[in-house]
Amino acid sequence: MAEHDRNSEQARKGRIVAIVIAGTALFWIAATFIGAEMGLSQRVRALFDLIALGGFVFALAMIYQIWRQRQKNEG
């Protein structure tokens, strides 16, 4: 039963990571498009790029945590 709980917890974390990645990508695409249409300065567009980069780094960190947890559970 404990293994089932661990698997469902890992699956939940995996879904969260997928949502973070998809949401960050949609934000980045929308921010780039809106920034170009509104004529925002390069500084503001770079800020949006850095925010998106932060979202992707956060997702990568979560993926690493899931991977380490799976390695710990298998061995």
Side-chain angles (χ1 to χ4, degrees):
M1 191 68 163
E3 185 175 334
H4 176 57
D5 292 340
R6 280 191 301 251
N7 287 341
S8 64
E9 179 68 19
Q10 288 175 352
R12 185 184 69 80
K13 287 181 180 181
R15 286 189 297 272
I16 291 171
V17 168
I19 290 169
V20 168
I21 291 171
T24 301
L26 289 174
F27 164 78
W28 195 19
I29 291 168
T32 302
F33 178 74
I34 291 169
E37 290 296 314
M38 292 181 62
L40 296 177
S41 70
Q42 290 297 324
R43 274 183 110 160
V44 175
R45 290 192 217 178
L47 177 63
F48 290 144
D49 289 345
L50 288 175
I51 292 169
L53 184 63
F56 288 129
V57 168
F58 176 71
L60 188 61
M62 289 180 65
I63 290 170
Y64 179 74
Q65 288 175 352
I66 294 169
W67 177 73
R68 289 296 297 162
Q69 186 178 16
R70 289 186 68 145
Q71 294 294 317
K72 188 174 97 175
N73 291 341
E74 288 179 5

